Amino acid sequence: MRKIYDHQHRKVRAAIAEVFWDYTLAGQPGAMTRDEMLALFIRIKDSDYFEQHRGNYGLKIGWADLEGKHWGMYFHGSQEIYIERELGDPRTLCHEVAHHLALQQARDVPHHGPTFCTHYLNLLYLFVGKAEAEGLKWAFDEHEVDYFFLDTLLADDMRKLMFA
């Protein structure tokens, strides 16, 4: 089996930490309840973006005690996303859905490669807010993280709106 190298992992983590230093919103004013997170998850799965990028409608979400090691995890074998039990951060949900969409395009893409980064930016823009997406794009540029925009009309429209 061929090893997939995740060359950008550290740069992506540094960029996310710089712009989303408060990445865990548990107990903060911007935190979402589990019901709100589930509603957002359903909105993402029902979106044209999810369909356009071959999202699997069997994707599930759950909550778990990730022992402070992770905010969320995506398991491609079982098509499941787990969010830290106490976490209510929509940015984490978008992060994990971006992993799902990247792997739907090709199983051999690096976990934090350009495809993942592109989906993460797009999902943030569509479902969390323009400011969060622009902040992460700035951090990606500062940390020299590679990303691109998929060749779709939706992505082209988003690129024009976000980065004009």
Side-chain angles (χ1 to χ4, degrees):
M1 180 180 218
R2 187 167 69 101
K3 173 108 171 102
I4 311 295
Y5 293 97
D6 195 4
H7 297 291
Q8 292 198 136
H9 183 251
R10 285 193 175 108
K11 292 192 294 185
V12 169
R13 284 182 61 138
I16 289 170
E18 184 168 339
V19 74
F20 299 146
W21 58 271
D22 64 339
Y23 211 102
T24 57
L25 287 177
Q28 296 183 32
M32 297 177 100
T33 65
R34 283 191 190 178
D35 287 344
E36 290 169 330
M37 288 283 280
L38 184 57
L40 176 59
F41 178 69
I42 291 167
R43 257 185 58 224
I44 292 170
K45 280 181 46 175
D46 287 345
S47 71
D48 290 340
Y49 188 85
F50 192 81
E51 180 181 353
Q52 187 176 29
H53 298 289
R54 293 180 269 172
N56 183 327
Y57 292 103
L59 182 66
K60 299 178 216 107
I61 188 172
W63 285 264
D65 181 4
L66 301 176
E67 301 175 356
K69 296 178 183 174
H70 303 279
W71 298 303
M73 296 186 79
Y74 169 65
F75 295 96
H76 71 272
S78 59
Q79 301 286 309
E80 293 175 293
I81 290 173
Y82 288 99
I83 303 294
E84 171 62 42
R85 186 180 317 267
E86 302 302 321
L87 185 66
D89 195 326
R91 299 169 295 187
T92 299
L93 178 58
C94 289
H95 182 114
E96 300 310 328
V97 173
H99 281 301
H100 169 74
L101 292 176
L103 288 171
Q104 292 303 105
Q105 291 181 256
R107 290 276 183 215
D108 62 349
V109 297
H111 296 300
H112 295 89
T115 302
F116 161 80
C117 293
T118 300
H119 283 303
Y120 191 26
L121 285 170
N122 289 341
L123 289 166
L124 282 175
Y125 176 74
L126 289 170
F127 299 102
V128 179
K130 183 178 176 183
E132 285 82 355
E134 287 178 335
L136 186 59
K137 180 196 175 292
W138 171 85
F140 279 175
D141 291 342
E142 287 293 309
H143 291 271
E144 299 178 353
V145 171
D146 292 328
Y147 61 91
F148 54 86
F149 285 90
L150 304 170
D151 190 19
T152 65
L153 291 175
L154 178 61
D156 193 43
D157 289 345
M158 287 191 297
R159 183 176 55 247
K160 287 175 185 172
L161 288 170
M162 285 172 68
F163 311 117

